Structure formats: C-alpha cells, structure tokens
Amino acid sequence: MALARGAQTESVDRAVRSALTEFTATVAATSAVHAPTSSAPVIAVALSGGRDSMVLMDTLARLRGALPFTLSALHVHHGLSRHADHWTEFCASQCEQRGIPLVIERVTISRRGGMSREAVAREARYRVLMGARADAVALAHHADDQAETVLLQLLRGAGPHGVAAMPARRRRGREPLLLRPLLHLPAAAIAACAGARAIHFVVDESNVDTAIKRNALRHDIVPALREAFPGYPATLVRAARHQAEAAELLDELARLDAAAIACDDAVFGLALDRVAFAALATSHAARARNLMRWFLRRHDLLLPSTARLDAIMAQCLHARSDSRVQLRHDGAEIGMHRGRIVVHAPTVAQTFAFPWRGESALALPGGTLLFGAAKGAGLCASRIADGPVVLRSRHGGERLQLARNRPRQSVATLFRTQGIPAWERGSWPLVWCGETLAAVPKLGVDVAFQAGEDAPGYVLCWLPAPRSQPAAALLPAPDLAPSQPPARG
C-alpha cells in the first residue's frame, strides 16, 4: 500500500512538473524574443479548499525552488453553502502555512432563466479566474472529471467540440493561460497523494447531491462502468483527445471556407457574406453548418443546440439581405446588415427621456452620448442655452433639415442613408431643445441649431453599448458544454 501510494504521489509530482516546465520554458522563449524581463511568471492556483485543489497547490508549492515561477492562490466565495465562510478561512490558513499569497473574490449568485444554480456559479468562478493578475491559472481537474464530462456531453448529443471536453492548456487573447496539469491522472492518484502527504481539505456537501446530473452520473452510473470496463476513465480521456483532433480539423475547414466568405466589418467585426454563405449551404450544407458554428464561437458565443442552429441557418439563408432578422442567442443577436450576417448587441426597445445639464458624457439605455466642446461646429451652445435640452428615444415621424438648400428629411431616411442598423435605431438618442428636434448623433444638426463660424458648440458622439461578453464565453465550447461543473476540488 505504501509503495502504491508513493508511486501515485510521484505521478502527481511528474505531471505538475512537466506542465510547469513546458509553461516556464515557453514564457522564457517568448520573453527573450518580444519583451525581455527578469521577473518570473506568476501562476495562480484556483483553490476551493477541496482535495484536488489542495493537492495541486501543495505540489506547486513544493516546486517553487526547482522552477522559475511565482505562486499565488485564488479562492472564489460563492456563498452557496452555509460552510462557505469556513472554506474561505481554511484556504487562508493553508496558504499562510505555505507562504502563498491568497486573493479572495466574493461573487453573488442569482439564477437566470434556463440555467441551474451550479451553472451560474461556474460562470462566475471562471469570470474571476480569467481576470486573475497572473500569467497562468492552474486548475485541478483530473481524468475522472474529464471522463464524466465526455459522458455528459454524449448524453446531451454534443458534437466533436463538446465531446473533446476540457483542454489541458488553453489561452485566449490576453487572458491568463489555463493549465490543467492533472487532467490525465485518475482521482485515485490524487487521493493517494493527499493521504501520503497528510494534506488537509474540506468536503463540499453538494458533491453527494444526486439531483445534480454530474453527481448522479458519478455515484449511480460510473461505478458500474468502472466494473464493466477496467480501462475507465483512461479510455474516455483518450476519446476526448481524438475528438479534440477532429474538432481542430473542423475548425481548419471552417477557416478555409471563411477565407472566401468571411469579412472584417468595421462596426461588427467578423461577418459573413450572405450570398457566398448561401452558395456554400447549397453545395455543401454540412460545411455551411460547420462554418456557422465556427463563426459563433469566434464571437465568444456558446455553440447552439441542433434546433437552434437550424433556426439560425433558416433565417440567414432565406431572409432578404437587409430584412430585420433578430435571432437571440447567448446574450447576443444574429442579424443581417447590408448583405452581411453579423453578431450584435441585443436590441434595446425602451422609451426614454433624459435631461441634459451640460455633462460631457451622459449614459443612456443603449450607450453613452458624448458632448465634445468645439468652435464653429456641432450644436450651437447659445441656441440651446435656454433649453430645456432633453435626450429622447425615437417615436417615429421626426424630421431634420441639415442644410438650407436641402429639404427636411425624415430621421428614418437619414438612418438608412448612413447605414445605421435597424436594431440600433430604437436606442439611438435624439437631442431636443424644447419642442424642436435639434440634432441626431451621426446624422447631423438641424440648420436652426448649427454653430456658426467661431461660435462655441458641441460635437455629438454616440457610443452604442458594446455587446456584453457572455460569462460562459470565458471558456471555449469544449469547457462550457458540461451542464454541471466538476466536483469541488
């Protein structure tokens, strides 16, 4: 028994050392080329206080002198358990014993439609982890977690990206690198390491709640699988790697198709040419569906269900090029603009009226309106001095005369001329002085309110609210797809 424990403890040490050696070597090589620095990279371990994360933190702490990195810990206090405060105190005590700085982040969990409490907690946790002041965040997921994730994905009918489950390494943009050094090790090895080193840990009572799908799988189904298939969980971990390779090939195919179909829209970023996309769908329907999935992931959106993808495809392929397509998905909308399929912020349909009292910036329901001081341009300061100046939403029928030699035009016509997307017009502010429409950002200032030469004025700049990044997008589709989070570890 002692020999077995020793071998399993060594396997944990080797796995963590291997992952850190690769990471620190990569950081050193990158720094030497791009930004030479003498400071060691910072690794933050995600610490819940459970067995798995405690073993990972303890192992990382033992490697501090052998490898060039600085270690910290990050604990997320969800407040879901009556023991949450105790867990926080426990983590603080364990970090203090090892001389590891600890950051404690408290989050508020409120359920949203269609999402379990556990899913919302997972989103909040990863949002905190991706905001860590670290070069990498180390997570304690292991092979049993990975196998459970594969099974959950299969049971929900996921494709290759979902069944690929959790990657051992993942970096997106400027976010910290996600490291899962223990991903190929069984839970038994981690348990043996905890026992051999007398590592203390807390136990989350929710891990035995079989109303949570992952727990039901773990306690009621996995024991039978383990008995019937001795290779469990390693075989499913291997299957996840195969699916990850298949997903990579699908992404490469999507990139090849995107070269002829995708474009960089100045307003919406990555967009798809609708005519070219329809042609692809006609000749290769499966490739078009694959491209649409890739397109949505590039916008940090979750992969849609099969039914949802069918609805998106139908609308994008059969609607007119500038029809008001409004498909809501994962906190965003998929729409059509000037012959392009785009992703944009949800339509804001809200009537508003806000007085302006000279602020340089005023936050409104759909964005922020800036008033830039100018001379001889924009909205004449003296003409609006007696006010009142009110920023209102559209009601329909408003008109502007932008030049004395031009007729008055409807705001709707000017919106179309300027290419303002239909979904942004409902939240676009109109500047009224008394009962007269004085100006509309980007469209222009009515001739009666235009600043003359050298006259003080205000140049208007409307900044629509950016599409808020879905919390779930903090993970790639393979990570997000599990309907339940792994156990506290």
Side-chain angles (χ1 to χ4, degrees), residues 189-231:
I190 297 165
C193 182
R197 290 178 172 163
I199 297 173
H200 298 286
F201 55 87
V202 299
V203 177
D204 186 343
E205 72 278 6
S206 71
N207 285 347
V208 297
D209 180 4
T210 54
I212 298 173
K213 288 184 174 61
R214 183 178 287 270
N215 290 340
L217 187 69
R218 177 177 301 159
H219 297 295
D220 299 337
I221 298 171
V222 164
L225 287 175
R226 199 184 298 275
E227 183 176 351
F229 301 93

Side-chain angles (χ1 to χ4, degrees), residues 257-299:
D257 288 332
I261 296 174
C263 52
D264 187 14
D265 188 278
V267 177
F268 303 104
L270 183 69
L272 298 177
D273 181 273
R274 180 186 172 278
V275 173
F277 182 72
L280 178 66
T282 300
S283 58
H284 300 285
R287 285 173 65 171
R289 292 168 66 86
N290 180 57
L291 177 59
M292 179 58 73
R293 293 189 189 97
W294 175 85
F295 172 69
L296 296 177
R297 284 201 313 277
R298 285 290 301 272
H299 279 281

Side-chain angles (χ1 to χ4, degrees), residues 42 58 82 137 139 166-168 176 178 223 241 262 268 272 319-320 404 407 412 438 442-443 482:
V42 177
D58 185 80
R82 66 180 186 275
V137 173
L139 301 168
M166 298 178 285
L178 276 185
R241 288 199 297 268
F268 303 104
L272 298 177
R320 296 192 309 275
R404 298 193 183 283
K442 195 169 182 178
L443 303 189

Side-chain angles (χ1 to χ4, degrees), residues 48 52 125 140-142 145 148 204 206-207 214-215 218 484-489:
S48 68
D52 304 334
R125 180 166 63 252
H141 297 132
H142 47 67
D145 292 328
E148 291 165 3
D204 186 343
S206 71
N207 285 347
R214 183 178 287 270
N215 290 340
R218 177 177 301 159
Q484 302 296 337
R488 178 174 295 276

Side-chain angles (χ1 to χ4, degrees), residues 48-49 75-91 106 202-206 488:
S48 68
H75 175 76
V76 181
H77 184 299
H78 301 95
L80 296 181
S81 168
R82 66 180 186 275
H83 304 300
D85 290 337
H86 167 67
W87 295 341
T88 299
E89 293 169 2
F90 172 81
C91 289
R106 297 177 182 270
V202 299
V203 177
D204 186 343
E205 72 278 6
S206 71
R488 178 174 295 276

Side-chain angles (χ1 to χ4, degrees), residues 52-296:
D52 304 334
S53 66
M54 280 300 303
V55 167
L56 179 57
M57 183 179 75
D58 185 80
T59 307
L60 287 167
R62 293 168 184 267
L63 290 172
R64 279 179 295 187
L67 292 170
F69 72 96
T70 300
L71 181 61
S72 65
L74 180 57
H75 175 76
V76 181
H77 184 299
H78 301 95
L80 296 181
S81 168
R82 66 180 186 275
H83 304 300
D85 290 337
H86 167 67
W87 295 341
T88 299
E89 293 169 2
F90 172 81
C91 289
S93 172
Q94 294 297 311
C95 287
E96 184 178 4
Q97 291 177 26
R98 293 169 175 81
I100 299 172
L102 173 66
V103 175
I104 299 170
E105 293 284 354
R106 297 177 182 270
V107 297
T108 301
I109 304 301
S110 55
R111 294 188 64 170
R112 301 197 298 275
M115 294 185 68
S116 67
R117 187 178 68 165
E118 291 75 22
V120 176
R122 182 180 68 245
E123 286 190 357
R125 180 166 63 252
Y126 275 96
R127 187 184 303 116
V128 170
L129 296 179
M130 291 300 90
R133 301 173 73 91
D135 299 288
V137 173
L139 301 168
H141 297 132
H142 47 67
D144 291 68
D145 292 328
Q146 184 78 320
E148 291 165 3
T149 300
V150 170
L151 290 171
L152 287 168
Q153 292 286 27
L154 288 171
L155 291 170
R156 64 184 289 272
H161 285 90
V163 183
M166 298 178 285
R169 296 167 60 96
R170 194 217 73 197
R171 184 189 294 281
R172 291 179 50 187
R174 296 182 178 275
E175 293 174 353
L177 174 72
L178 276 185
L179 281 176
R180 293 184 174 93
L182 308 176
L183 197 60
H184 69 283
L185 295 178
I190 297 165
C193 182
R197 290 178 172 163
I199 297 173
H200 298 286
F201 55 87
V202 299
V203 177
D204 186 343
E205 72 278 6
S206 71
N207 285 347
V208 297
D209 180 4
T210 54
I212 298 173
K213 288 184 174 61
R214 183 178 287 270
N215 290 340
L217 187 69
R218 177 177 301 159
H219 297 295
D220 299 337
I221 298 171
V222 164
L225 287 175
R226 199 184 298 275
E227 183 176 351
F229 301 93
Y232 183 94
T235 49
L236 290 187
V237 172
R238 185 166 65 249
R241 288 199 297 268
H242 294 329
Q243 292 302 307
E245 290 182 357
E248 186 177 347
L249 292 174
L250 288 173
D251 283 347
E252 183 59 32
L253 177 61
R255 283 189 286 270
L256 292 173
D257 288 332
I261 296 174
C263 52
D264 187 14
D265 188 278
V267 177
F268 303 104
L270 183 69
L272 298 177
D273 181 273
R274 180 186 172 278
V275 173
F277 182 72
L280 178 66
T282 300
S283 58
H284 300 285
R287 285 173 65 171
R289 292 168 66 86
N290 180 57
L291 177 59
M292 179 58 73
R293 293 189 189 97
W294 175 85
F295 172 69
L296 296 177

